[in-house]
Amino acid sequence: MKLVKVKNYKELSRKASDILINEISKKPNLVLGFATGETPLGLYKELVMAYKKRKVDFSKIKSFNLDEYYPMKKRDKNSYYFFMHNNLFDKVNLNKFNINFLNGETKDAEKECKNYERKIKKNPIDIQILGVGVNGHIGFDEPGSREDSKTRLVRLTDSTIESNFKIFKHGKIPDKALTMGIGTIMASKKIILLANGRAKKEAIRHLIKGPVTERWPVSYLRKHKDMVLIADKACLG
Ligand code: F6R
């Protein structure tokens, strides 16, 4: 695991964006895995700015997002589908046919997850961006998730529902979600985990020092061969 220590959130977002832009320049048809939540917002802003300055071209990029609430309408402002379009996809030249998302509107969650898994197998993810939950979840793989878990329907913990309240616009947060599994995430060729702020300190401690355990799913990432942690002082303690 490579650790990139940064001073603050701005530097974290810039570092992540520099890495992505550099990788895209080397391989313009990269398959990218995106995360939602507050952490990658600065990265997405940096990418939009770079695109406006013509420093990056997304026209051949394919993308897969990690997760989506279930059930959830795409047009709902709380959906991750809306979040990604609002913060990145609508602002850069990513081809809409190259955007892959777990469909929170599906009636058949199991089939949806199997199809998504199949699509990822056919288009292996080159770089997966991740954030981490206060309880150590990655994607919506909550504590107890197995190392070999695949894309599936999961129940969210009370702690996750409470933390996500900060970016939920209105209404009640669904208590279920569709998410890539730990095994799906670990199959990505490269993983970039972004972490900032004191709230993430315990999760990051379990990643760096703790044993690999299903109680802290983030700790599984220690086993990945090409994993970069970009973290600020506050969460490194
Ligand atoms: C979002 C996701 C989650 C978040 C995590 C941290 O797609 O998969 O694992 O990365 O909940 O969320 P923030 O960044 O809001 O602290």
Side-chain angles (χ1 to χ4, degrees):
M1 182 170 87
K2 189 179 159 206
L3 169 62
V4 180
K5 282 189 200 174
V6 291
K7 280 198 287 283
N8 52 37
Y9 183 66
K10 181 89 192 153
E11 201 183 322
L12 173 142
S13 306
R14 285 228 175 106
K15 277 264 159 33
S17 153
D18 288 349
I19 296 175
L20 282 190
I21 292 170
N22 185 40
E23 296 286 343
I24 294 171
S25 73
K26 287 193 277 180
K27 186 179 173 191
N29 62 343
L30 215 62
V31 181
L32 288 178
F34 287 121
T36 53
E38 282 192 318
T39 313
L41 273 174
L43 160 65
Y44 298 154
K45 277 204 180 110
E46 291 289 333
L47 289 176
V48 170
M49 275 192 302
Y51 169 70
K52 283 188 181 150
K53 291 181 189 157
R54 297 174 187 238
K55 287 186 180 158
V56 60
D57 174 16
F58 293 91
S59 61
K60 296 194 178 71
I61 297 291
K62 276 191 188 149
S63 78
F64 285 90
N65 259 79
L66 271 173
D67 42 19
E68 178 62 283
Y69 290 111
Y70 187 77
M72 180 57 79
K73 293 252 185 279
K74 287 181 186 164
R75 61 164 190 276
D76 190 318
K77 289 205 165 74
N78 291 318
S79 75
Y80 283 168
Y81 182 90
F82 181 88
F83 175 101
M84 284 309 298
H85 283 79
N86 195 33
N87 291 300
L88 185 67
F89 297 161
D90 290 348
K91 298 179 173 168
V92 298
N93 65 338
L94 222 144
N95 182 333
K96 66 174 188 225
F97 297 108
N98 288 341
I99 295 173
N100 297 285
F101 233 97
L102 280 159
N103 180 9
E105 297 183 7
T106 186
K107 293 244 158 45
D108 191 339
E110 201 182 316
K111 188 167 158 211
E112 173 67 16
C113 293
K114 278 205 174 120
N115 282 342
Y116 205 62
E117 195 68 36
R118 214 171 292 135
K119 261 196 234 167
I120 296 175
K121 274 236 167 68
K122 269 198 199 153
N123 303 277
I125 295 174
D126 289 299
I127 306 179
Q128 176 66 54
I129 304 293
L130 292 180
V132 58
V134 172
N135 66 357
H137 71 233
I138 50 174
F140 272 136
D141 293 297
E142 297 279 29
S145 298
R146 289 172 49 144
E147 190 170 1
D148 61 357
S149 54
K150 297 284 183 275
T151 306
R152 67 204 187 289
L153 177 66
V154 293
R155 189 169 284 280
L156 303 177
T157 60
D158 291 346
S159 130
T160 298
I161 293 172
E162 199 179 302
S163 314
N164 286 0
F165 202 68
K166 59 191 181 222
I167 57 167
F168 222 72
K169 310 268 188 268
H170 57 82
K172 204 171 155 275
I173 302 184
D175 61 355
K176 289 196 218 87
L178 306 174
T179 183
M180 282 187 203
I182 298 287
T184 324
I185 294 171
M186 291 295 277
S188 312
K189 290 177 204 158
K190 186 184 188 80
I191 292 178
I192 303 177
L193 173 67
L194 309 176
N196 69 299
R198 276 176 51 194
K200 306 293 171 70
K201 199 167 150 182
E202 207 185 344
I204 294 304
R205 186 171 59 79
H206 282 275
L207 165 65
I208 298 177
K209 297 199 183 119
V212 174
T213 162
E214 63 176 30
R215 276 180 288 139
W216 290 89
V218 68
S219 67
Y220 288 128
L221 298 176
R222 274 236 304 277
K223 292 187 166 184
H224 195 276
K225 283 199 227 59
D226 188 1
M227 145 81 185
V228 182
L229 164 64
I230 310 183
D232 75 350
K233 281 188 206 149
C235 80
L236 288 170

